[in-house]
Amino acid sequence: MDGIETLAEIKRKYPLIEVVMLTGHATVSSAIDGMKQGAFDYLMKPCDMDVLLEKVNDAAAKKRRHEEKIIEARMKEITSRRA
């Protein structure tokens, strides 16, 4: 299984997971494929650790925002049923 196939499987099983892809064999088409499959970002190896940490933090923040929106929608649905 290559990276793009792994990404697709992760997104299928865990759609809210954000994936930062790291590759030593990047092409423009593979980066586009990764982004189309739902990668948060696509970085080339070797990657500066500060850049990687920033991307991971950004991905985690995006996941938290998605989770908060889901919770808000569920709460809205529950409270609207009581009215």
Side-chain angles (χ1 to χ4, degrees):
M1 186 181 297
D2 68 13
I4 299 297
E5 292 168 332
T6 302
L7 171 64
E9 186 67 13
I10 291 168
K11 295 305 267 184
R12 184 184 70 75
K13 288 184 177 180
Y14 310 100
L16 293 182
I17 294 294
E18 296 298 337
V19 177
V20 176
M21 297 186 74
L22 295 172
T23 184
H25 309 287
T27 64
V28 172
S29 65
S30 66
I32 291 170
D33 287 346
M35 300 306 274
K36 283 182 180 178
Q37 291 288 332
F40 178 80
D41 211 331
Y42 200 94
L43 302 173
M44 281 289 296
K45 293 178 195 174
C47 176
D48 180 86
M49 188 57 75
D50 291 334
V51 172
L52 176 58
L53 289 172
E54 180 181 341
K55 295 298 180 183
V56 169
N57 287 327
D58 290 348
K62 182 179 178 185
K63 183 178 184 296
R64 281 191 297 274
R65 286 191 304 271
H66 279 104
E67 290 171 339
E68 289 169 1
K69 287 180 182 180
I70 290 168
I71 291 168
E72 288 173 14
R74 287 180 180 162
M75 293 300 290
K76 194 174 196 179
E77 180 183 343
I78 290 168
T79 57
S80 69
R81 282 192 236 157
R82 292 182 182 182

